[in-house]
Amino acid sequence: MSTRLRSLPERLTGTLMTRQPAPAQEPVTVTVARVVRPEQQDAFARWAADVQELVATFPGHLGSSLLRPGPGSDEYHLVYRFRDDESLAVWERSPERREALDRVHQLVEDERVARAVGLQTFFAVPPQPGPAWRSWLLTVAVVLLFTSTFQLLVVPFVGDWPWPARLLLSAAYVVTALRLAMPRVSRWLGPWLQGSRRRR
């Protein structure tokens, strides 16, 4: 009775290749900027509220917000965030979304879509139309808060660690804290980040 020897590609397929871990999934933030016709802005705000309620029912949804125009602008930003690309794809391919898009076309003059993945999702609020210095100031304030907290609460316990180890721990702490906190903070401070809203 003969034994068939498997070739190298077959052995790799049966052993090493099947043991490769799946790539980690990262949160995805999508920002849709729409220039709304001036006479349709109330209708657009109602449409956006309906869409936010709808998208919240989809698995993997992490939050959404509507950012209104700054002074001299008619551009609204609808921001929504999903757990990963797969969850986002379910929403983007859904008949509910297609129906919602069919209703909004008559309300807008222009539309742009931007996507951010992983560390790029620190900011759930786009830098425009608000002043850029406000996003800079918020970033400095949050980083200062986290680094100060690290110095006060963590350094006393790791003060005898080698300097490279302390630096690595500090960087990991700040980056993780930013990733968790910045989307929430930027949503809370959204009106301030955008600047004063236009009075009607």
Side-chain angles (χ1 to χ4, degrees):
M1 179 177 176
S2 62
T3 302
R4 177 177 176 268
L5 296 177
R6 292 187 299 170
S7 65
L8 179 59
E10 288 177 307
R11 294 200 299 272
L12 288 175
T13 302
T15 56
L16 297 179
M17 293 183 69
T18 59
R19 294 177 185 173
Q20 294 299 319
Q25 295 293 314
E26 295 186 294
V28 183
T29 298
V30 175
T31 302
V32 185
R34 293 182 174 94
V35 178
V36 180
R37 304 179 192 278
E39 70 278 9
Q40 299 289 355
Q41 294 192 0
D42 290 338
F44 178 82
R46 292 192 297 270
W47 173 87
D50 292 342
V51 169
Q52 287 182 267
E53 291 182 6
L54 175 63
V55 71
T57 65
F58 279 71
H61 175 258
L62 299 179
S64 65
S65 58
L66 176 66
L67 309 180
R68 297 178 179 272
S73 173
D74 292 315
E75 186 172 271
Y76 289 71
H77 293 82
L78 183 58
V79 183
Y80 51 92
R81 195 165 184 254
F82 277 85
R83 182 178 58 233
D84 49 38
D85 276 317
E86 183 178 349
S87 301
L88 173 62
V90 172
W91 158 248
E92 291 184 333
R93 297 169 185 166
S94 67
E96 293 90 343
R97 177 177 175 271
R98 286 196 296 270
E99 181 182 349
L101 292 179
D102 288 341
R103 291 190 286 119
V104 78
H105 289 320
Q106 61 184 345
L107 307 179
V108 304
E109 298 177 349
D110 189 26
E111 179 178 301
R112 301 189 317 279
V113 179
R115 173 189 296 235
V117 179
L119 294 179
Q120 297 173 2
T121 63
F122 278 167
F123 293 96
V125 176
Q128 296 297 331
W133 67 267
R134 297 193 180 197
S135 296
W136 175 86
L137 181 61
L138 176 61
T139 304
V140 171
V142 173
V143 170
L144 179 62
L145 173 64
F146 288 144
T147 52
S148 300
T149 303
F150 182 85
Q151 292 293 324
L152 292 174
L153 301 181
V154 180
V155 167
F157 298 96
V158 298
D160 56 345
W161 286 20
W163 176 79
R166 295 200 311 269
L167 182 62
L168 178 60
L169 179 62
S170 174
Y173 164 78
V174 172
V175 169
T176 301
L178 281 173
R179 182 168 184 172
L180 294 175
M182 283 305 296
R184 294 178 175 85
V185 174
S186 57
R187 281 197 295 270
W188 293 337
L189 298 179
W192 179 78
L193 288 171
Q194 295 175 77
S196 302
R197 293 181 180 175
R198 181 174 47 189
R199 296 183 179 274
R200 296 189 178 279

